[in-house]
Amino acid sequence: MKLLNTLSLLGFVSLLSLSQAGAANADVCQQTVGPFWSQYEAYQAVQQAQAQGYQTSNVWGSDGLISNSSNRKYWFNVYYPC
């Protein structure tokens, strides 16, 4: 699952790089990235996005109907020029 999350983020960052090339205005858009199955993986993805030069939100999580570790998922937002 970690590999799938990493590949998803890399694909998303690649798409953002292409969209940035044509952006000429100062508007800021955002994209939610996730879910990640562990908080650690989400923080790693945030660091990768920031290393690419993107602004990010903090990581946030949500629990499923039953509050246990198997139901927790984590997301964050990436901000980029529209």
Side-chain angles (χ1 to χ4, degrees):
M1 193 57 74
K2 181 179 178 181
L3 177 60
L4 180 60
N5 286 336
T6 301
L7 292 176
S8 296
L9 176 66
L10 292 176
F12 175 74
V13 169
S14 297
L15 288 175
L16 284 180
S17 296
L18 292 175
S19 69
Q20 276 188 338
N25 58 20
D27 292 338
V28 176
C29 292
Q30 72 178 31
Q31 176 68 42
T32 300
V33 180
F36 293 91
W37 304 110
S38 76
Q39 193 173 24
Y40 177 75
E41 288 176 356
Y43 281 119
Q44 282 185 318
V46 164
Q47 290 176 345
Q48 289 175 358
Q50 289 174 345
Q52 294 286 325
Y54 295 104
Q55 296 289 324
T56 64
S57 69
N58 291 326
V59 171
W60 76 87
S62 71
D63 294 332
L65 295 175
I66 301 170
S67 183
N68 66 38
S69 62
S70 65
N71 292 330
R72 293 188 187 127
K73 297 176 184 81
Y74 300 91
W75 292 266
F76 66 94
N77 289 327
V78 174
Y79 305 102
Y80 59 94
C82 295

